[in-house]
Structure formats: C-alpha cells, structure tokens
Amino acid sequence: MKCPICSKPTTHAFRPFCSQRCADIDLGKWLSGDYAVPSRDPEDIEAAAEAAEAAGDTSSKSH
C-alpha cells in the first residue's frame, strides 16, 4: 500500500501513511476543509448563501 500523500510505502505504525508528517498533512487538509464534499441539498445551499451574505455585511460594516 502506498501513502496517499507522498506515495511512499506505508508503515504499520502510521498506516495508511508512511510517517507522522504525512498523517499530519492529511489532518491539516481535513481541518482546513480541503476534503469537503459538495452538497446539492437546497437547505445547505441556502445556509451557505446566508453565511456568505452575513460575512459580506460584516466586512462592509468594518470599513
């Protein structure tokens, strides 16, 4: 099995990764939203639009 981050062979201690470094890189991707799954649920789309609108309102008030 190859490490999904760097393609080196995996080690038992960090499987499915080859090292703690690659495991940490993967965790960082999850935490930053790089692995987000897009949704087509209308409620999710509405919530995202409202959040974007609210973020826009906040930035315009601070200027």
Side-chain angles (χ1 to χ4, degrees):
M1 175 181 254
K2 290 183 179 183
C3 176
I5 302 298
C6 71
S7 299
K8 291 180 183 176
T10 62
T11 60
H12 181 71
F14 301 106
R15 196 170 184 153
F17 306 102
C18 67
S19 64
Q20 183 67 49
R21 177 185 171 275
C22 285
D24 289 343
I25 289 170
D26 185 70
L27 178 61
K29 287 183 177 186
W30 279 107
L31 295 175
S32 68
D34 288 353
Y35 292 144
V37 178
S39 173
R40 294 181 185 228
D41 184 340
E43 290 181 12
D44 290 341
I45 294 169
E46 185 177 326
E50 289 173 0
E53 225 175 82
D57 290 345
T58 301
S59 63
S60 65
K61 289 179 183 176
S62 65
H63 290 155

